[in-house]
Amino acid sequence: HGSSDGGRARACPRGAMSAHAKAAGAAAYSLQNWSEAADKFSEAIDAPDVDVDELHKLYSNRCAAYMQLKKYKEAKDDAESCTQTKPVWAKGWSRLGECEDARGCYAEAALAFEKAIELDPSNAGYKSSKAGAEAKAKRAAAAAP
């Protein structure tokens, strides 16, 4: 009743809702508050003013939070959304590789890391992760009856 704007809700500047949620998610992540980070990144993704050019990063960030929470199915879904939204972004493929590795799907992890390497050949971390996934895949195959 006592508002001075005549009862009208003030509109946020373009992108402000999503950007605010993204910043809150990043802050929560840096404090290792993984659940709040995932919630805030969800808000940013779902905001009506989300910048479609930022979507892949938001999926990647929420994926990282889900990985910390050991919610590997949700993390994999976000990694896949990330690679679909921006297929030329190596980090998205790396995220997918990390998810597959955590789920015990080592051959799939190696394929995702291979794609990351194709897009960013100088990244030693991707090469190391691919080699690790391949070694786990070989051990798993050797252990199978």
Side-chain angles (χ1 to χ4, degrees), residues 3-144:
S3 70
S4 61
D5 64 358
R8 292 184 311 275
R10 259 186 242 155
C12 287
R14 173 116 180 91
M17 289 168 57
S18 182
H20 179 75
K22 178 184 178 186
Y29 192 93
S30 71
L31 295 172
Q32 299 184 5
N33 187 339
W34 316 125
S35 187
E36 183 181 341
D39 289 347
K40 291 300 179 184
F41 291 132
S42 293
E43 281 180 35
I45 289 166
D46 296 335
D49 64 353
V50 66
D51 180 350
V52 294
D53 293 331
E54 287 289 304
L55 214 50
H56 66 288
K57 292 178 190 170
L58 294 171
Y59 282 125
S60 176
N61 291 348
R62 188 172 67 179
C63 171
Y66 282 148
M67 287 291 288
Q68 292 292 341
L69 292 166
K70 301 194 180 344
K71 291 185 173 184
Y72 301 130
K73 164 82 172 81
E74 293 89 340
K76 181 186 176 207
D77 290 346
D78 275 356
E80 288 177 336
S81 293
C82 180
T83 60
Q84 289 164 8
T85 306
K86 185 124 184 192
V88 296
W89 195 47
K91 188 172 184 177
W93 292 100
S94 173
R95 288 269 195 243
L96 183 57
E98 292 164 12
C99 293
E100 293 290 26
D101 188 85
R103 296 172 69 237
C105 301
Y106 305 122
E108 292 85 348
L111 289 172
F113 287 124
E114 177 62 35
K115 184 71 178 167
I117 293 164
E118 286 173 24
L119 295 165
D120 185 2
S122 64
N123 189 307
Y126 299 160
K127 293 174 185 172
S128 171
S129 295
K130 179 187 175 208
E134 287 174 336
K136 290 178 198 172
K138 280 185 186 158
R139 282 197 299 275

